[in-house]
Amino acid sequence: MKTHLHFAALALVAAMPICAQAMNLEDYLGQVVQKHQGLEGLRASQEAARKTREAGDMELTPRFSLQGSYLSDKKQPSMGGMTETRSEAYNATLSKLFSSGTKVDVMAKTGGVEYIGMSPATASFFGATAYGQGGLGIGLSQSLWKNAFGRSTSLRREREISVAEAEAGSYDLQGRQILASAESAFWDLLYLQEEVSIRQASLERGKKIEAWFRRRADDGISDRADTLNARALVASRELQLTASKDNLIAAEKKVRDYLEMDGNQAAPTLQGQIASSRDLQQLVGRDGRVVSLQVYLADLQAKAQAVGAREAEEATKADLVLSGSYFTNSYEAGGKAFDGTKNWDRTDTPTAQVALSWTYLFESDAKVAVRDSARAKALAAKLQSERAAREGETAWTEMVRRHKELTLQIKSAEDLLKIQKDLAKALQDKYARGRSITSEVINSEENAANAELQLTKMRAEQRKLEAQTRLFIAVKE
């Protein structure tokens, strides 16, 4: 299973001056991705998670070391009248640990020794009062148990990959949550704009009704109570319109916050098909089983803990290491330190060694605790993953069910709105012919306005529900 940075793709949307033209949902989310500092921080954190995984192979990086030393030894007693022994030594080593667990060292060394105050007799016995010595060599070592064929390295890499993917997925989830909230703010703003428009139109109709009743009262056709009833309708709608405008201001501020706009900047002009339903499966993706991103992350964490348990078992095992080395030896009588390099390629006096070493870590409370702790964490993560999988499956099923239910409710609300509008018009015509009462006209007008608002709100809720699909992904088994 693989996850992808959902909001990174939106960053490809070309930047445009905000408010230069009406923005649709894709343009708006593209601006959010480009401007929202929280998303920018999450992208940086995701990149850091990937680099952390790559940093795990630091131990496999080739290493080069140089060493130089000087020794002056005047301790007594000494042989042949020597008053001091001086020596210099220089070493260069290139080391490389491979993923198979094989370690290779390539070395070059040279040095010189000088005996100060040595008597001629002693010097003739040793051959010289000074000499240079050096050699070239190679050393190899291979774990036969703990890291045979790179088993420990493979376990470490597997764990680090799972941990890095879980960490990156966590940042991806946070980014998706921001985008889902940003999209909800988009639909909230469109809904409130529509609500203000509907309430404004309702107020205008209320004023027409009030004027109509006032004329009828002036003509003596209706009484003062009818006029007061119409005035109450207008006052009520003015109050509702004021409240809707206040909510619209708050929604505009929220959208500006997602776009990182200053408070003195006007909210952008948004356009969207609030009445157009979207297919949930298509939004998530049809290629694979739909799971919650939280379920996916729990599964990755469980895998990482399971590998960690195996890694702990491996780390506490005994180890058997086979090693070997081969060195050439050069010798230059009367020479100094760097004279030891003159015959580096001599192979007639080599030094060769083969060794087999066994290491055992005694059983202790600490050793047992390392294994038991790793096993307990793996079991806990497995149980949490299984629980999250059940909850995630229920969450997706419930989302699909709610979306279908809202579709049915919206269809019923559309039918109701048509009936309420027809009824309001019919009652007004009936009242004009003196065959209805004032309260029926006003109530029918109020019911029609409420039905229109209810329909628009249900459509907005369905669009916001569709936005939550960003928290789900389609995965291949």
Side-chain angles (χ1 to χ4, degrees):
M1 297 188 297
K2 295 183 178 179
T3 185
H4 304 281
L5 180 58
H6 183 72
F7 52 84
L10 290 171
L12 300 177
V13 177
M16 65 179 72
I18 294 182
C19 299
Q21 62 184 49
M23 291 194 297
N24 59 26
L25 179 60
E26 183 180 1
D27 297 332
Y28 164 73
L29 292 178
Q31 292 283 352
V32 172
V33 169
Q34 291 180 12
K35 298 178 180 298
H36 198 282
Q37 292 182 345
L39 290 177
E40 184 179 353
L42 290 172
R43 287 194 292 270
S45 297
Q46 276 197 322
E47 185 62 25
R50 293 191 181 94
K51 295 297 183 182
T52 300
R53 184 188 66 186
E54 296 172 4
D57 278 339
M58 185 67 181
E59 64 179 14
L60 303 182
T61 302
R63 302 170 186 270
F64 181 70
S65 62
L66 292 172
Q67 181 182 14
S69 65
Y70 172 79
L71 172 69
S72 174
D73 186 2
K74 296 182 179 180
K75 69 176 177 289
Q76 297 296 321
S78 60
M79 295 187 301
M82 286 188 297
T83 59
E84 181 183 3
T85 300
R86 297 174 182 172
S87 66
E88 294 177 64
Y90 303 95
N91 299 284
T93 304
L94 177 63
S95 300
K96 175 70 171 78
L97 177 63
F98 294 90
S99 59
S100 61
T102 305
K103 184 180 180 184
V104 179
D105 296 309
V106 178
M107 296 159 280
K109 60 182 181 180
T110 186
V113 178
E114 182 180 6
Y115 300 113
I116 308 299
M118 179 179 285
S119 65
T122 305
S124 62
F125 177 79
F126 281 102
T129 59
Y131 62 89
Q133 192 174 41
L136 300 173
I138 184 171
L140 298 125
S141 65
Q142 173 66 58
S143 172
L144 302 179
W145 285 353
K146 184 178 291 188
N147 197 21
F149 304 105
R151 185 167 53 247
S152 293
T153 304
S154 297
L155 287 173
R156 175 185 59 76
R157 282 178 169 174
E158 186 178 352
R159 173 181 54 80
E160 289 174 346
I161 288 173
S162 296
V163 169
E165 286 183 354
E167 187 176 355
S170 174
Y171 297 132
D172 186 21
L173 174 60
Q174 294 176 55
R176 287 168 178 258
Q177 289 170 335
I178 290 175
L179 282 179
S181 297
E183 183 175 345
S184 293
F186 176 91
W187 296 117
D188 280 337
L189 181 55
L190 285 184
Y191 164 71
L192 286 167
Q193 288 173 345
E194 190 73 17
E195 181 180 299
V196 168
S197 177
I198 292 172
R199 292 198 184 283
Q200 185 69 52
S202 296
L203 177 60
E204 295 302 322
R205 290 195 301 272
K207 288 180 178 180
K208 288 180 180 179
I209 291 175
E210 180 189 11
W212 182 41
F213 279 117
R214 188 183 299 114
R215 286 195 304 270
R216 290 175 62 86
D218 293 341
D219 295 340
I221 301 176
S222 63
D223 57 26
R224 185 169 177 271
D226 293 337
T227 304
L228 291 176
N229 206 351
R231 286 182 182 178
L233 173 66
V234 171
S236 173
R237 291 188 175 178
E238 285 178 341
L239 179 61
Q240 292 171 345
L241 178 59
T242 301
S244 296
K245 286 182 176 179
D246 182 64
N247 291 334
L248 178 61
I249 292 173
E252 289 174 343
K253 182 180 183 302
K254 196 169 185 180
V255 166
R256 286 200 303 270
D257 287 343
Y258 279 112
L259 294 173
E260 299 287 345
M261 298 172 65
D262 296 333
N264 56 357
Q265 290 180 277
T269 302
L270 304 180
Q271 64 180 13
Q273 300 297 322
I274 201 169
S276 298
S277 177
R278 294 171 290 177
D279 182 72
L280 297 184
Q281 189 70 52
Q282 186 174 358
L283 290 174
V284 175
R286 299 186 180 278
D287 188 15
R289 182 172 60 92
V290 177
V291 298
S292 165
L293 189 54
Q294 289 182 327
V295 173
Y296 176 76
L297 296 181
D299 183 65
L300 285 178
Q301 290 165 355
K303 287 182 177 179
Q305 293 293 351
V307 176
R310 290 159 53 199
E311 195 176 12
E313 290 279 357
E314 193 72 17
T316 55
K317 283 183 178 179
D319 198 11
L320 185 67
V321 178
L322 176 65
S323 61
S325 63
Y326 177 89
F327 275 92
T328 64
N329 291 300
S330 65
Y331 179 80
E332 189 70 24
K336 296 186 178 298
F338 286 99
D339 291 328
T341 63
K342 292 181 178 179
N343 299 305
W344 259 352
D345 57 350
R346 288 182 57 181
T347 58
D348 55 334
T349 57
T351 299
Q353 181 184 31
V354 176
L356 190 64
S357 61
W358 178 67
T359 305
Y360 176 75
L361 185 64
F362 283 99
E363 291 294 325
S364 65
D365 292 341
K367 181 179 176 180
V368 173
V370 168
R371 292 196 300 255
D372 290 350
S373 174
R375 290 170 184 164
K377 289 179 180 178
L379 177 60
K382 181 176 181 293
L383 294 174
Q384 290 171 359
S385 175
E386 291 174 351
R387 178 63 184 175
R390 286 192 293 271
E391 293 177 348
E393 184 176 351
T394 301
W396 173 248
T397 304
E398 178 63 14
M399 179 177 286
V400 173
R401 187 199 66 79
R402 285 186 59 206
H403 190 269
K404 291 180 178 178
E405 182 64 26
L406 275 172
T407 299
L408 296 175
Q409 292 177 10
I410 288 171
K411 179 64 173 61
S412 298
E414 289 172 344
D415 295 339
L416 177 62
L417 175 60
K418 184 178 184 304
I419 294 172
Q420 293 287 8
K421 283 184 174 181
D422 291 344
L423 177 60
K425 186 176 184 304
L427 284 174
Q428 288 180 23
D429 294 340
K430 188 176 180 181
Y431 185 85
R433 296 193 301 270
R435 300 176 59 188
S436 179
I437 60 176
T438 306
S439 60
E440 286 183 338
V441 174
I442 292 177
N443 288 338
S444 66
E445 170 63 24
E446 188 71 14
N447 290 338
N450 290 337
E452 188 172 7
L453 284 172
Q454 182 184 22
L455 173 60
T456 305
K457 187 172 183 64
M458 290 172 64
R459 286 170 172 171
E461 289 301 317
Q462 192 176 49
R463 302 294 82 71
K464 290 163 65 175
L465 180 65
E466 291 162 359
Q468 296 303 309
T469 58
R470 298 181 186 278
L471 307 182
F472 293 82
I473 57 173
V475 296
K476 294 181 179 179
E477 295 294 345

PDB file of all heavy atoms in Angstrom, residues 1-18:
ATOM      1  N   MET A   1       0.841  -1.183   0.000  1.00  0.00           N
ATOM      2  CA  MET A   1       0.000   0.000   0.000  1.00  0.00           C
ATOM      3  C   MET A   1       0.884   1.243   0.000  1.00  0.00           C
ATOM      4  O   MET A   1       1.864   1.330   0.710  1.00  0.00           O
ATOM      5  CB  MET A   1      -0.887   0.011   1.243  1.00  0.00           C
ATOM      6  CG  MET A   1      -1.853  -1.151   1.317  1.00  0.00           C
ATOM      7  SD  MET A   1      -3.031  -0.979   2.671  1.00  0.00           S
ATOM      8  CE  MET A   1      -1.926  -1.024   4.064  1.00  0.00           C
ATOM      9  N   LYS A   2       0.492   2.222  -0.795  1.00  0.00           N
ATOM     10  CA  LYS A   2       1.269   3.442  -0.906  1.00  0.00           C
ATOM     11  C   LYS A   2       0.354   4.634  -0.710  1.00  0.00           C
ATOM     12  O   LYS A   2      -0.784   4.655  -1.111  1.00  0.00           O
ATOM     13  CB  LYS A   2       1.968   3.543  -2.266  1.00  0.00           C
ATOM     14  CG  LYS A   2       3.027   2.457  -2.483  1.00  0.00           C
ATOM     15  CD  LYS A   2       3.729   2.660  -3.792  1.00  0.00           C
ATOM     16  CE  LYS A   2       4.815   1.602  -4.000  1.00  0.00           C
ATOM     17  NZ  LYS A   2       5.508   1.769  -5.285  1.00  0.00           N
ATOM     18  N   THR A   3       0.899   5.650  -0.072  1.00  0.00           N
ATOM     19  CA  THR A   3       0.166   6.907   0.080  1.00  0.00           C
ATOM     20  C   THR A   3       0.923   7.994  -0.631  1.00  0.00           C
ATOM     21  O   THR A   3       2.121   7.906  -0.812  1.00  0.00           O
ATOM     22  CB  THR A   3      -0.014   7.251   1.570  1.00  0.00           C
ATOM     23  OG1 THR A   3      -0.827   8.416   1.651  1.00  0.00           O
ATOM     24  CG2 THR A   3       1.297   7.518   2.241  1.00  0.00           C
ATOM     25  N   HIS A   4       0.223   9.001  -1.032  1.00  0.00           N
ATOM     26  CA  HIS A   4       0.843  10.098  -1.761  1.00  0.00           C
ATOM     27  C   HIS A   4       0.463  11.406  -1.095  1.00  0.00           C
ATOM     28  O   HIS A   4      -0.586  11.529  -0.472  1.00  0.00           O
ATOM     29  CB  HIS A   4       0.378  10.111  -3.222  1.00  0.00           C
ATOM     30  CG  HIS A   4       0.640   8.819  -3.928  1.00  0.00           C
ATOM     31  ND1 HIS A   4       1.881   8.478  -4.412  1.00  0.00           N
ATOM     32  CD2 HIS A   4      -0.176   7.770  -4.213  1.00  0.00           C
ATOM     33  CE1 HIS A   4       1.817   7.280  -4.979  1.00  0.00           C
ATOM     34  NE2 HIS A   4       0.575   6.835  -4.865  1.00  0.00           N
ATOM     35  N   LEU A   5       1.283  12.389  -1.262  1.00  0.00           N
ATOM     36  CA  LEU A   5       1.012  13.698  -0.706  1.00  0.00           C
ATOM     37  C   LEU A   5      -0.137  14.316  -1.480  1.00  0.00           C
ATOM     38  O   LEU A   5       0.021  14.760  -2.592  1.00  0.00           O
ATOM     39  CB  LEU A   5       2.266  14.581  -0.798  1.00  0.00           C
ATOM     40  CG  LEU A   5       2.127  16.002  -0.240  1.00  0.00           C
ATOM     41  CD1 LEU A   5       1.729  15.938   1.222  1.00  0.00           C
ATOM     42  CD2 LEU A   5       3.424  16.761  -0.398  1.00  0.00           C
ATOM     43  N   HIS A   6      -1.309  14.321  -0.835  1.00  0.00           N
ATOM     44  CA  HIS A   6      -2.527  14.718  -1.549  1.00  0.00           C
ATOM     45  C   HIS A   6      -2.489  16.173  -1.968  1.00  0.00           C
ATOM     46  O   HIS A   6      -2.913  16.524  -3.055  1.00  0.00           O
ATOM     47  CB  HIS A   6      -3.719  14.474  -0.628  1.00  0.00           C
ATOM     48  CG  HIS A   6      -5.047  14.764  -1.260  1.00  0.00           C
ATOM     49  ND1 HIS A   6      -5.583  13.948  -2.228  1.00  0.00           N
ATOM     50  CD2 HIS A   6      -5.931  15.776  -1.064  1.00  0.00           C
ATOM     51  CE1 HIS A   6      -6.764  14.439  -2.594  1.00  0.00           C
ATOM     52  NE2 HIS A   6      -6.987  15.546  -1.897  1.00  0.00           N
ATOM     53  N   PHE A   7      -1.962  17.042  -1.096  1.00  0.00           N
ATOM     54  CA  PHE A   7      -2.029  18.454  -1.417  1.00  0.00           C
ATOM     55  C   PHE A   7      -0.886  18.914  -2.289  1.00  0.00           C
ATOM     56  O   PHE A   7      -0.890  20.039  -2.778  1.00  0.00           O
ATOM     57  CB  PHE A   7      -2.064  19.301  -0.131  1.00  0.00           C
ATOM     58  CG  PHE A   7      -0.974  18.998   0.860  1.00  0.00           C
ATOM     59  CD1 PHE A   7       0.277  19.559   0.748  1.00  0.00           C
ATOM     60  CD2 PHE A   7      -1.220  18.137   1.915  1.00  0.00           C
ATOM     61  CE1 PHE A   7       1.262  19.294   1.665  1.00  0.00           C
ATOM     62  CE2 PHE A   7      -0.241  17.858   2.831  1.00  0.00           C
ATOM     63  CZ  PHE A   7       1.004  18.432   2.716  1.00  0.00           C
ATOM     64  N   ALA A   8       0.124  18.056  -2.543  1.00  0.00           N
ATOM     65  CA  ALA A   8       1.240  18.486  -3.387  1.00  0.00           C
ATOM     66  C   ALA A   8       0.794  18.691  -4.826  1.00  0.00           C
ATOM     67  O   ALA A   8       1.266  19.584  -5.523  1.00  0.00           O
ATOM     68  CB  ALA A   8       2.368  17.461  -3.330  1.00  0.00           C
ATOM     69  N   ALA A   9      -0.131  17.821  -5.274  1.00  0.00           N
ATOM     70  CA  ALA A   9      -0.599  17.949  -6.655  1.00  0.00           C
ATOM     71  C   ALA A   9      -1.305  19.272  -6.880  1.00  0.00           C
ATOM     72  O   ALA A   9      -1.197  19.881  -7.945  1.00  0.00           O
ATOM     73  CB  ALA A   9      -1.538  16.794  -6.987  1.00  0.00           C
ATOM     74  N   LEU A  10      -2.018  19.737  -5.858  1.00  0.00           N
ATOM     75  CA  LEU A  10      -2.732  20.998  -6.011  1.00  0.00           C
ATOM     76  C   LEU A  10      -1.783  22.181  -6.127  1.00  0.00           C
ATOM     77  O   LEU A  10      -2.146  23.235  -6.638  1.00  0.00           O
ATOM     78  CB  LEU A  10      -3.661  21.210  -4.802  1.00  0.00           C
ATOM     79  CG  LEU A  10      -4.854  20.264  -4.736  1.00  0.00           C
ATOM     80  CD1 LEU A  10      -5.562  20.418  -3.401  1.00  0.00           C
ATOM     81  CD2 LEU A  10      -5.817  20.546  -5.865  1.00  0.00           C
ATOM     82  N   ALA A  11      -0.557  22.011  -5.656  1.00  0.00           N
ATOM     83  CA  ALA A  11       0.414  23.103  -5.738  1.00  0.00           C
ATOM     84  C   ALA A  11       0.796  23.417  -7.164  1.00  0.00           C
ATOM     85  O   ALA A  11       1.378  24.461  -7.450  1.00  0.00           O
ATOM     86  CB  ALA A  11       1.675  22.757  -4.932  1.00  0.00           C
ATOM     87  N   LEU A  12       0.477  22.512  -8.091  1.00  0.00           N
ATOM     88  CA  LEU A  12       0.787  22.740  -9.488  1.00  0.00           C
ATOM     89  C   LEU A  12      -0.174  23.728 -10.137  1.00  0.00           C
ATOM     90  O   LEU A  12       0.045  24.177 -11.256  1.00  0.00           O
ATOM     91  CB  LEU A  12       0.740  21.406 -10.257  1.00  0.00           C
ATOM     92  CG  LEU A  12       1.732  20.343  -9.766  1.00  0.00           C
ATOM     93  CD1 LEU A  12       1.528  19.053 -10.550  1.00  0.00           C
ATOM     94  CD2 LEU A  12       3.159  20.831  -9.917  1.00  0.00           C
ATOM     95  N   VAL A  13      -1.263  24.034  -9.434  1.00  0.00           N
ATOM     96  CA  VAL A  13      -2.210  25.008  -9.984  1.00  0.00           C
ATOM     97  C   VAL A  13      -1.517  26.351 -10.104  1.00  0.00           C
ATOM     98  O   VAL A  13      -0.886  26.817  -9.159  1.00  0.00           O
ATOM     99  CB  VAL A  13      -3.450  25.139  -9.075  1.00  0.00           C
ATOM    100  CG1 VAL A  13      -4.393  26.204  -9.620  1.00  0.00           C
ATOM    101  CG2 VAL A  13      -4.154  23.803  -8.961  1.00  0.00           C
ATOM    102  N   ALA A  14      -1.625  26.974 -11.253  1.00  0.00           N
ATOM    103  CA  ALA A  14      -0.914  28.229 -11.483  1.00  0.00           C
ATOM    104  C   ALA A  14      -1.396  29.306 -10.531  1.00  0.00           C
ATOM    105  O   ALA A  14      -2.580  29.433 -10.257  1.00  0.00           O
ATOM    106  CB  ALA A  14      -1.135  28.690 -12.926  1.00  0.00           C
ATOM    107  N   ALA A  15      -0.431  30.087 -10.013  1.00  0.00           N
ATOM    108  CA  ALA A  15      -0.764  31.167  -9.094  1.00  0.00           C
ATOM    109  C   ALA A  15      -1.501  32.261  -9.855  1.00  0.00           C
ATOM    110  O   ALA A  15      -1.209  32.552 -10.997  1.00  0.00           O
ATOM    111  CB  ALA A  15       0.502  31.723  -8.458  1.00  0.00           C
ATOM    112  N   MET A  16      -2.458  32.879  -9.185  1.00  0.00           N
ATOM    113  CA  MET A  16      -3.208  33.964  -9.816  1.00  0.00           C
ATOM    114  C   MET A  16      -3.495  35.005  -8.752  1.00  0.00           C
ATOM    115  O   MET A  16      -3.560  34.676  -7.569  1.00  0.00           O
ATOM    116  CB  MET A  16      -4.512  33.447 -10.411  1.00  0.00           C
ATOM    117  CG  MET A  16      -5.478  32.920  -9.378  1.00  0.00           C
ATOM    118  SD  MET A  16      -7.005  32.334 -10.097  1.00  0.00           S
ATOM    119  CE  MET A  16      -6.412  30.853 -10.877  1.00  0.00           C
ATOM    120  N   PRO A  17      -3.621  36.264  -9.112  1.00  0.00           N
ATOM    121  CA  PRO A  17      -3.941  37.283  -8.119  1.00  0.00           C
ATOM    122  C   PRO A  17      -5.296  36.999  -7.501  1.00  0.00           C
ATOM    123  O   PRO A  17      -6.279  36.803  -8.201  1.00  0.00           O
ATOM    124  CB  PRO A  17      -3.952  38.579  -8.936  1.00  0.00           C
ATOM    125  CG  PRO A  17      -3.223  38.267 -10.198  1.00  0.00           C
ATOM    126  CD  PRO A  17      -3.458  36.818 -10.460  1.00  0.00           C
ATOM    127  N   ILE A  18      -5.352  36.956  -6.200  1.00  0.00           N
ATOM    128  CA  ILE A  18      -6.610  36.688  -5.520  1.00  0.00           C
ATOM    129  C   ILE A  18      -7.585  37.821  -5.809  1.00  0.00           C
ATOM    130  O   ILE A  18      -7.240  38.989  -5.775  1.00  0.00           O
ATOM    131  CB  ILE A  18      -6.373  36.524  -4.004  1.00  0.00           C
ATOM    132  CG1 ILE A  18      -5.531  35.283  -3.752  1.00  0.00           C
ATOM    133  CG2 ILE A  18      -7.671  36.437  -3.246  1.00  0.00           C
ATOM    134  CD1 ILE A  18      -5.280  34.995  -2.313  1.00  0.00           C
TER     135      ILE A  18
END
